[in-house]
Amino acid sequence: MNYRLSQIGFGLSLRVALVFLAPNFAQATPRIKSSVTVTSSTLSLADLVDGKNLPTTPLFAAPAPGESGTIRSERIALALKQAGLELATPDVIGSVMVTRSGRVIERASLMPLLTTALAAARGIAASGIVIDATGLPQRIVTENESTATPQIESVTLDEMGNRFTADIRIPDSDRYNAAPLKVSGHFDVFAACASLNRALKKGDIIAASDLRTDRCKIEGASALPVKPDSLIGLAAADDLPLGTRLSLSQLTKPVLVEKGSSVTLTYKTNGLVLTLRGRASESGTLGDTVTITHPQSKRSIDAVVTGPGTVSVGMNHPANLASATLPLQP
């Protein structure tokens, strides 16, 4: 009776021991993982297989940062066999899913860089650039060890000036230094623009009170915003109705000297200043050279328009003589 109890006790002890030892046996036998996440550019058996004292020699290339790929299990089993290791299950099928982590750079971090580059390309302030983010990558992923700020290497605009292609480089990234990331998208240009508070007749000169400033979209690749202050003092080239959004093509320099009008001519030379009256043989705007004729002697001289009804000849405004005799007779 005691012998049988002893046998029973021994059998129970053996089974309990096997239960506790089984995980250790299983752990000692290599098993191929179903999935793995890595940080480096290469994979070893230690990355792909559960087990002890596995080789760390690089055997396979890992996916690019932020991407996933698979390795056939039979390739891993062959590498284990060549290393002198046996699998718990000799027959293997399927593959291992490999994901490589990395440093994530969100799209929000790229937008200010693109905005600055586009503003420089269009020659305007960055506040005037509005990028449509549709189509731009939500994020880019580079190596974990990369810490450099992305750089916009180049920007190309289309003929209309509202679509772009840009190359983004990350100096310390193997992935994005050798081959920059190319992105493309659409953007709009906005700037302060001026509209008329009143209707203008052809030749009317614009005053500050005639203008209303708004924020408007600038169309066209070569179109640049016009500062409203730069329009003051110019004249309407044609009749312009109330509310017209102004551009330089609609305006011209005002005529300060009318053909046939009486003008005051100032002649300066060698410290001598002589003022006399003459008659303009042609119209002119500020800075234009016009011919002035003395109404009595009929002698004439070329002079530069300096203001409304005034012209000048002298060291600052050299002119071609229209007759051999100077000055004009008063």
Side-chain angles (χ1 to χ4, degrees):
M1 186 70 177
N2 292 336
Y3 173 74
R4 291 188 61 194
L5 287 174
S6 177
Q7 280 187 318
I8 294 172
F10 176 77
L12 288 173
S13 299
L14 180 61
R15 286 196 293 272
V16 170
L18 289 174
V19 168
F20 281 101
L21 288 175
N24 293 329
F25 285 133
Q27 187 176 9
T29 304
R31 292 180 181 274
I32 298 176
K33 299 177 182 179
S34 60
S35 63
V36 62
T37 298
V38 297
T39 60
S40 65
S41 60
T42 59
L43 299 167
S44 66
L45 290 177
D47 296 315
L48 300 167
V49 178
D50 281 325
K52 292 183 177 181
N53 302 320
L54 293 168
T56 58
T57 304
L59 293 178
F60 307 100
E67 297 183 4
S68 298
T70 59
I71 299 178
R72 296 197 309 273
S73 297
E74 61 187 34
R75 296 183 61 196
I76 302 172
L78 177 60
L80 278 169
K81 185 175 181 180
Q82 292 173 345
L85 300 172
E86 295 293 336
L87 285 171
T89 304
D91 296 330
V92 294
I93 58 174
S95 59
V96 178
M97 175 63 69
V98 180
T99 301
R100 184 177 174 188
S101 64
R103 169 195 169 201
V104 177
I105 302 174
E106 299 291 347
R107 182 169 63 190
S109 300
L110 300 175
M111 296 295 278
L113 302 176
L114 285 170
T115 298
T116 300
L118 291 173
R122 284 299 305 264
I124 65 170
S127 59
I129 299 293
V130 178
I131 301 174
D132 180 2
T134 305
L136 295 177
Q138 291 282 350
R139 62 186 61 84
I140 60 177
V141 184
T142 185
E143 298 87 352
N144 278 303
E145 59 272 19
S146 170
T147 60
T149 301
Q151 299 177 359
I152 308 301
E153 185 174 69
S154 63
V155 171
T156 303
L157 305 182
D158 70 348
E159 293 181 356
M160 295 302 296
N162 58 6
R163 289 201 62 84
F164 70 91
T165 300
D167 289 335
I168 301 177
R169 185 185 296 276
I170 304 177
D172 64 350
S173 167
D174 291 337
R175 184 181 188 186
Y176 293 119
N177 189 39
L181 174 67
K182 190 176 293 293
V183 299
S184 59
H186 176 275
F187 71 103
D188 291 315
V189 178
F190 292 86
C193 57
S195 301
L196 286 176
N197 280 329
R198 69 179 181 94
L200 296 182
K201 295 292 185 181
K202 180 178 180 180
D204 285 352
I205 298 176
I206 296 176
S209 59
D210 297 329
L211 301 178
R212 181 181 72 249
T213 302
D214 302 301
R215 180 176 169 86
C216 61
K217 184 186 295 187
I218 305 299
E219 304 286 357
S222 60
L224 293 175
V226 178
K227 295 181 179 180
D229 289 348
S230 67
L231 305 179
I232 298 173
L234 296 179
D238 292 294
D239 292 349
L240 299 175
L242 170 69
T244 299
R245 182 176 293 171
L246 294 175
S247 65
L248 290 177
S249 62
Q250 299 167 305
L251 306 174
T252 185
K253 291 193 296 184
V255 175
L256 300 180
V257 171
E258 296 283 354
K259 180 179 180 180
S261 64
S262 177
V263 298
T264 300
L265 184 148
T266 301
Y267 179 76
K268 300 178 181 180
T269 182
N270 298 326
L272 175 66
V273 178
L274 179 64
T275 301
L276 50 92
R277 302 294 295 175
R279 189 169 300 280
S281 300
E282 53 193 327
S283 299
T285 63
L286 183 66
D288 289 346
T289 299
V290 296
T291 300
I292 306 300
T293 302
H294 191 276
Q296 296 177 358
S297 67
K298 306 303 181 183
R299 292 171 177 162
S300 60
I301 186 175
D302 289 344
V304 176
V305 178
T306 57
T310 62
V311 296
S312 176
V313 176
M315 298 300 294
N316 294 330
H317 300 287
N320 295 322
L321 300 182
S323 72
T325 302
L326 273 179
L328 300 179
Q329 298 295 322

